[in-house]
Amino acid sequence: MKTNSTGLNRRSLILSGSLAAAGLLMASSASAALTSTPRAAGETTQIGDVTVRGVSFKKNDGVVLSGNLYLPKGFRPGGKYAAIVVVHPGGGVKEQVAGLYAQKMAAEGFVTLAFDAAHQGASGGLPRFVDDPMKRVTDVYSAIDYLVSLPYVDGDRIGALGACAGSGIAVKASMTDRRIKAIATVSAVDVGAATRKGWDGKASESEILNTLDAVAKQRSAEAAGAEPVYVPYVPQLGDKSAPRDLQEAADYYLTARGRYPTSTNKMLMTSVSTLASFTGFEGADTFITQPLLMIAGSEAGSLWHSRELIAKAASKHKELVVLPGVTHMDLYDGAGADTAAAKLAPFFKSKLATA
């Protein structure tokens, strides 16, 4: 069977029959490369001038979400701050790239919130390891509910920032939650389109039909009492058959560079059907009217997502910044994240300025 750059590497795994062994777990110790943040609600840590508070908040369905709230230097409880909700990638958690960007934006004077999606990380929700993009959209609604409940957050100055699949979630949430006044993305991915069309966007959508047949059989088996089956988000280290971006994703998630104990590289196989049905950018030509900044690398196989959305969005103020020589994963940490943050900060300062 020919291996192509399929939706987040899931389709080839399903068709290869390797699902039973696909629940690859990351190392149990936290990475030395990630900055230490609170392990539970009520705890506080300090990152330079930024104070990080562990928080929790409840969704309308009763699921409790776990978050880290980042407060800027000289924070005054009696002040009024613009706030940014940061949405993590599909297989990530709040302590990884989302937390890094939350910290960087807090250092620029914003109150920021990074949180674990329901069913993931330290957040509640059963069964575990469900990846349902529309549920993640409602997670964003609830995160904003929490932010606007804080007396020091200006509810008229809320921004959303998404990384990778978190970008598609942030964009979809922004279409219908008009409290979001500015949107930014880093290495954007509409996970529905990636699942249907492959990582590089070149696969025929009909290729996923066999996968959906396999998912249907598994769903029926689980309904009859069978054990759930899991697939990994990223390939194993050294898998040269995977697209370059996903090989580099393994280097981030599965090594000391970015691994975290609650980021398990594990997803219910039956989630593929909800991923395939998601349309993160559909409707952007009508509903995305907020200022929009997109940052992506010229060498990213995912660049087509950013180009598609920037062309489609109805926003009067929109910009795509393509960083030369940069890959998808280069923007997750290091110099790439520094470069992206240097563009994000003035964007949010301008678009979330006091009216």
Side-chain angles (χ1 to χ4, degrees):
M1 180 180 65
K2 180 180 178 181
T3 300
N4 57 28
S5 50
T6 53
L8 300 185
N9 204 39
R10 301 180 185 103
R11 196 182 312 168
S12 58
L13 281 165
I14 292 171
L15 296 179
S16 71
S18 61
L19 288 170
L24 177 65
L25 293 176
M26 295 183 185
S28 60
S29 59
S31 168
L34 299 178
T35 304
S36 179
T37 52
R39 293 300 186 97
E43 294 184 1
T44 300
T45 60
Q46 199 74 22
I47 305 174
D49 294 327
V50 173
T51 301
V52 190
R53 292 179 181 170
V55 299
S56 62
F57 50 96
K58 188 177 291 188
K59 294 186 65 177
N60 290 342
D61 60 7
V63 172
V64 176
L65 302 183
S66 174
N68 283 329
L69 188 69
Y70 293 73
L71 305 174
K73 178 182 179 180
F75 170 74
R76 296 176 295 105
K80 281 289 185 181
Y81 294 85
I84 302 169
V85 58
V86 187
V87 188
H88 64 68
V93 292
K94 64 185 181 296
E95 289 83 3
Q96 295 167 326
V97 59
L100 176 63
Y101 278 99
Q103 182 266 320
K104 288 180 178 295
M105 292 302 97
E108 296 290 340
F110 299 96
V111 169
T112 61
L113 174 66
F115 66 95
D116 289 336
H119 307 273
Q120 313 292 327
S123 288
L126 294 174
R128 301 304 296 166
F129 311 122
V130 169
D131 192 339
D132 183 335
M134 282 309 300
K135 285 187 176 181
R136 294 196 184 208
V137 169
T138 64
D139 292 344
V140 176
Y141 297 161
S142 297
I144 297 173
D145 291 345
Y146 173 73
L147 282 173
V148 300
S149 75
L150 301 173
Y152 45 82
V153 166
D154 185 342
D156 292 324
R157 294 192 292 151
I158 302 290
L161 169 59
C164 190
S167 294
I169 303 304
V171 167
K172 196 70 169 181
S174 299
M175 291 187 194
T176 48
D177 194 329
R178 308 303 290 179
R179 295 174 297 181
I180 298 173
K181 305 302 184 183
I183 312 162
T185 69
V186 174
S187 294
V189 169
D190 173 352
V191 72
T195 302
R196 295 187 301 273
K197 299 179 181 181
W199 183 257
D200 61 6
K202 297 178 181 179
S204 169
E205 292 192 4
S206 63
E207 291 182 28
I208 200 174
L209 291 174
N210 288 337
T211 298
L212 294 177
D213 286 340
V215 171
K217 291 178 181 178
Q218 179 60 26
R219 189 176 296 278
S220 292
E222 291 180 21
E227 290 295 314
V229 168
Y230 303 93
V231 294
Y233 280 93
V234 300
Q236 294 186 18
L237 285 166
D239 180 358
K240 299 301 183 182
S241 69
R244 175 183 176 182
D245 289 333
L246 298 185
Q247 293 181 48
E248 293 182 359
D251 179 68
Y252 177 84
Y253 284 109
L254 304 180
T255 73
R257 176 182 168 193
R259 70 184 171 211
Y260 197 79
T262 58
S263 177
T264 60
N265 197 31
K266 188 175 183 181
M267 181 190 75
L268 277 172
M269 173 193 173
T270 51
S271 292
V272 173
S273 57
T274 60
L275 292 166
S277 66
F278 184 64
T279 53
F281 297 163
E282 184 179 336
D285 52 345
T286 298
F287 297 105
I288 295 298
T289 60
Q290 303 95 321
L292 172 66
L293 173 65
M294 308 191 75
I295 303 173
S298 67
E299 302 306 305
S302 58
L303 178 57
W304 61 280
H305 294 275
S306 296
R307 286 178 170 158
E308 177 182 314
L309 180 60
I310 206 70
K312 183 182 295 185
S315 309
K316 291 182 180 179
H317 304 283
K318 58 183 180 179
E319 181 183 7
L320 170 58
V321 176
V322 179
L323 301 175
V326 170
T327 68
H328 181 93
M329 297 303 299
D330 284 341
L331 299 182
Y332 275 51
D333 55 8
D338 291 340
T339 300
K343 297 185 179 297
L344 291 166
F347 168 77
F348 280 122
K349 286 179 180 180
S350 171
K351 304 309 179 185
L352 299 180
T354 304

